[in-house]
Amino acid sequence: MSRLFEPLQVGAWRLASRVVMAPMTRNRAPGALPTASMATYYGQRAGASEGAALIVSEATAISPSAQGYSDVPGLWSDAQVAAWHPVTEAVHARGGHFVAQLWHVGRVSHTSLQPDDQAPVAPSAITAQARTYLVDAQGQGGFVETSAPRALTEREIHGIVEDYAHAAACARAAGFDGVEVHAANGYLIDQFLRSGANQRTDAWGGSIDNRVRFLVAVTRAIGERIGGDRVGVRLSPVTPTNDAHDPEPQALFNAAVCALGPLGLAYIHVVVGQGRGARDHQQGEAEFSYEALRAAYREGGGRGAWMLNNGYDLALAQEALARGDADLIAFGRPFIANPDLSRRWREHLPLSHAEATVFYGGGDAGYIDFPTAAPLSEPQSALQP
């Protein structure tokens, strides 16, 4: 277990352990503004001795048109910067590091969430076979089919690149230590990468090099704004989430990480397998080599830390670190009911397997009311919230 709790220099940050809290959308930010409950939630899970040395925030929209789900936070306005301040301060007060995951959903949206009820935007006008989460006027949430998108113009593409850089500057102003570029799970950057969603015939589509261009342009612009050593990128090479598919994932993602190599990033964050805990491949797909992916990153000049995520428990994390497959491991669902996850592992305390009362949306129940563990010598009644 010792390797998991060893310190590591990751870009601009000295992390006290290899434990990362993965990004998890919780839909508790009405009006795209963070709340006091969010400060409590992240603060409870921060700090290497108790929780995570590094927390990646829930996906955070970079502009009004980047939103695809109800009640998710944003990072484009002064009001949002101010509302994030108590959240970042709560994490830092516990000795944790905190990065904002920057998000544009692209076609995974609904007209009711877009400015003036417009169509969502995408590389090409291809509707995603996916659903998104809406909250109605009575506060009831549920999933609905995504709306048909329209294709972006080249001028709009350049504008979105600038939106990402602006959001990164807002993140730093809000007290975040850096940002993670959400290039995974079938959202806008992933849509540009994959031929199943990108059928453009200009410089942003067609060949693999052209489809990688948007990812590189976004990441470079952010790095120029806040420093590459404060930037991570999340990728999901074989995850089919939100209708993401491509016939050549190995060639595509090897080229993507190779192109990211020269940008001096803090880390690359890779979702292993299909996502949501499924670590195998889709039926009929060729085996994907994560070793080859990492080698391509190094060959391209990448020196950032290598983070793996998806269904890792303590044993799997130890194995991955011992083999040298990863430098960092990101844990998602275990942190929901175990805000003191690192302490439980360090002290060999049992994990709570309670389920969130409401994962998407809702109030404080199932969000900030999970107790920390009592020492084994104390009765269960001694648990403290």
Side-chain angles (χ1 to χ4, degrees):
M1 194 186 302
S2 60
R3 184 93 192 270
L4 188 61
F5 296 105
E6 288 178 355
L8 182 70
Q9 187 72 32
V10 177
W13 322 303
R14 181 68 174 175
L15 302 185
S17 81
R18 315 297 182 96
V19 177
V20 178
M21 179 173 153
M24 290 181 285
T25 295
R26 302 301 301 273
N27 302 89
R28 284 170 165 87
L33 291 169
T35 64
S37 292
M38 288 172 61
T40 300
Y41 169 77
Y42 284 111
Q44 287 173 336
R45 289 155 179 80
S49 62
E50 293 279 330
L54 174 67
I55 292 178
V56 183
S57 82
E58 60 205 276
T60 301
I62 62 169
S63 69
S65 61
Q67 298 179 95
Y69 300 78
S70 292
D71 296 350
V72 296
L75 257 175
W76 66 83
S77 72
D78 290 343
Q80 290 162 340
V81 168
W84 273 113
H85 263 294
V87 189
T88 60
E89 288 170 357
V91 171
H92 292 149
R94 295 286 297 273
H97 288 78
F98 199 14
V99 298
Q101 191 188 60
L102 301 185
W103 193 28
H104 193 306
V105 300
R107 64 181 185 165
V108 185
S109 187
H110 191 271
T111 54
S112 65
L113 297 171
Q114 293 293 308
D116 301 321
D117 295 324
Q118 296 179 11
V121 297
S124 302
I126 303 171
T127 303
Q129 301 304 305
R131 298 189 300 165
T132 187
Y133 182 85
L134 300 182
V135 176
D136 63 23
Q138 289 71 45
Q140 299 300 309
F143 286 89
V144 300
E145 299 297 318
T146 58
S147 299
R150 65 171 181 83
L152 287 159
T153 67
E154 183 157 3
R155 181 176 180 180
E156 288 174 321
I157 292 171
H158 289 292
I160 291 175
V161 171
E162 173 55 28
D163 288 342
Y164 272 101
H166 173 70
C170 288
R172 290 291 287 145
F176 283 99
D177 298 292
V179 304
E180 178 177 284
V181 178
H182 195 344
N185 297 350
Y187 297 116
L188 183 63
I189 297 176
D190 206 19
Q191 292 160 29
F192 269 93
L193 288 172
R194 298 177 190 264
S195 61
N198 183 351
Q199 297 181 7
R200 301 179 71 94
T201 57
D202 61 6
W204 303 94
S207 69
I208 285 177
D209 287 345
N210 281 3
R211 284 183 276 130
V212 167
R213 189 184 306 273
F214 184 64
L215 165 65
V216 175
V218 165
T219 308
R220 179 182 290 116
I222 291 173
E224 289 174 352
R225 194 68 57 93
I226 68 169
D229 60 350
R230 294 186 178 276
V231 181
V233 174
R234 193 182 206 212
L235 301 168
S236 56
V238 301
T239 300
T241 303
N242 293 317
D243 200 19
H245 56 92
D246 189 276
E248 300 180 286
Q250 191 79 63
L252 170 61
F253 283 92
N254 281 10
V257 295
C258 185
L260 292 172
L263 301 184
L265 303 179
Y267 66 82
I268 300 291
H269 181 179
V270 180
V271 179
V272 177
Q274 296 186 44
R276 300 185 184 277
R279 299 170 57 80
D280 56 349
H281 298 265
Q282 297 182 78
Q283 187 174 6
E285 279 193 346
E287 188 77 10
F288 188 91
S289 172
Y290 296 94
E291 294 78 10
L293 184 71
R294 190 176 188 183
Y297 179 57
R298 299 302 184 210
E299 290 166 6
R303 296 293 177 265
W306 198 253
M307 184 191 304
L308 297 181
N309 167 250
N310 189 29
Y312 281 89
D313 57 17
L314 178 58
L316 287 173
Q318 289 173 311
E319 292 172 8
L321 293 170
R323 287 195 305 266
D325 293 345
D327 304 305
L328 301 163
I329 302 293
F331 304 91
R333 288 178 181 270
F335 265 114
I336 293 176
N338 299 278
D340 55 342
L341 183 64
S342 285
R343 174 177 161 246
R344 291 178 188 246
W345 279 337
R346 284 175 184 270
E347 299 180 13
H348 308 286
L349 301 172
L351 297 189
S352 169
H353 297 286
E355 292 292 333
T357 304
V358 181
F359 191 88
Y360 298 109
D364 290 346
Y367 186 55
I368 59 173
D369 58 347
F370 291 106
T372 56
L376 288 178
S377 60
E378 294 185 17
Q380 289 298 302
S381 59
L383 293 179
Q384 297 296 316

